[in-house]
């Protein structure tokens, strides 16, 4: 891809970096609603589960992993099979360089190739950069769940954004 940016399906060789990136958000932010760090075994099930429709990709800038993007199952019922839940996690310090938007464009294209019809992103309402990213790329807020989580001694809201692709 242009400017040294590429996307590669996550493999075992990326797992330690995926864990480090995700656990930063667990320990330091409300981006993740996990309150305790995940280990490699748990993360392996999330990103290396073997389902060809629900895939995870490393975001590489000049060969260096800057984050990852994934399509996960939205709900485990057949009528939802054409809906995917997407997430983007960037290495701390990698934000503000346009990587999130490029990752979002990549995963939307990949989702269309895999016959998804709708993509959903669930974002803590504190996470203004992600909210802006999704709305800038045509996602509409479709739900707001108030005080649905508690982290760092605070009640937190989540917003769901969706886009028909």
């Amino acid at each position: 891809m242009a400017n040294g940016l590429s996307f590669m399906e996550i493999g075992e060789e990326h797992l330690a970096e995926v864990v480090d990136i995700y656990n930063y958000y667990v320990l330091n932010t409300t981006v993740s609603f996990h309150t305790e760090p995940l280990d490699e075994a748990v993360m392996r099930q999330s990103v290396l589960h073997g389902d060809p429709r629900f895939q995870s990709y490393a975001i590489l800038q000049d060969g260096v992993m800057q984050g990852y993007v994934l399509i996960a199952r939205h709900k485990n019922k057949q009528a939802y099979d054409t809906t995917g839940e997407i997430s983007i996690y960037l290495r701390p310090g990698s934000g503000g360089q346009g990587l999130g938007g490029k990752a979002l464009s990549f995963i939307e294209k990949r989702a269309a190739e895999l016959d998804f019809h709708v993509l959903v992103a669930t974002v803590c309402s504190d996470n203004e950069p992600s909210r802006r990213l999704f709305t800038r790329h045509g996602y509409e807020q479709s739900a707001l769940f108030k005080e649905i989580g508690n982290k760092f001694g605070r009640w937190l809201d989540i917003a769901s954004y969706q886009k028909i692709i």
Side-chain angles (χ1 to χ4, degrees):
M1 295 196 122
N3 301 324
L5 184 66
S6 61
F7 298 90
M8 173 185 288
E9 195 167 338
I10 288 179
E12 194 69 37
E13 69 274 18
H14 302 110
L15 196 56
E17 285 182 277
V18 168
V19 170
D20 286 345
I21 291 167
Y22 187 77
N23 282 339
Y24 169 82
Y25 292 101
V26 171
L27 294 171
N28 299 290
T29 76
T30 58
V31 167
S32 166
F33 274 32
H34 280 108
T35 58
E36 296 180 14
L38 278 68
D39 62 22
E40 283 192 16
V42 172
M43 189 59 76
R44 183 178 289 109
Q45 291 178 326
S46 294
V47 299
L48 295 174
H49 45 70
D51 188 319
R53 290 201 71 231
F54 302 99
Q55 299 179 350
S56 305
Y57 298 90
I59 303 166
L60 305 170
Q61 181 74 48
D62 298 321
V64 178
M65 189 166 169
Q66 298 300 318
Y68 64 100
V69 57
L70 59 92
I71 306 172
R73 185 175 300 282
H74 176 65
K75 301 249 187 214
N76 196 19
K77 296 177 182 151
Q78 296 86 358
Y80 292 112
D81 282 352
T82 58
T83 300
E85 183 142 358
I86 58 172
S87 297
I88 302 168
Y89 291 94
L90 297 178
R91 179 179 302 289
S94 293
Q97 302 173 37
L99 294 175
K102 291 173 183 165
L104 188 53
S105 295
F106 167 81
I107 207 68
E108 287 175 356
K109 181 177 183 232
R110 189 71 189 109
E113 293 167 354
L114 292 166
D115 294 323
F116 284 95
H117 178 66
V118 174
L119 294 177
V120 175
T122 302
V123 179
C124 180
S125 59
D126 282 2
N127 188 348
E128 194 57 39
S130 288
R131 293 177 72 157
R132 280 194 311 267
L133 171 69
F134 288 110
T135 56
R136 189 169 54 245
H137 286 268
Y139 287 73
E140 295 179 12
Q141 184 176 323
S142 54
L144 177 66
F145 299 94
K146 293 182 170 272
E147 296 186 6
I148 198 162
N150 191 294
K151 188 171 181 182
F152 305 133
R154 295 177 39 226
W155 289 108
L156 301 167
D157 303 343
I158 60 167
S160 291
Y161 293 82
Q162 77 172 70
K163 183 177 184 180
I164 297 172
I165 57 172

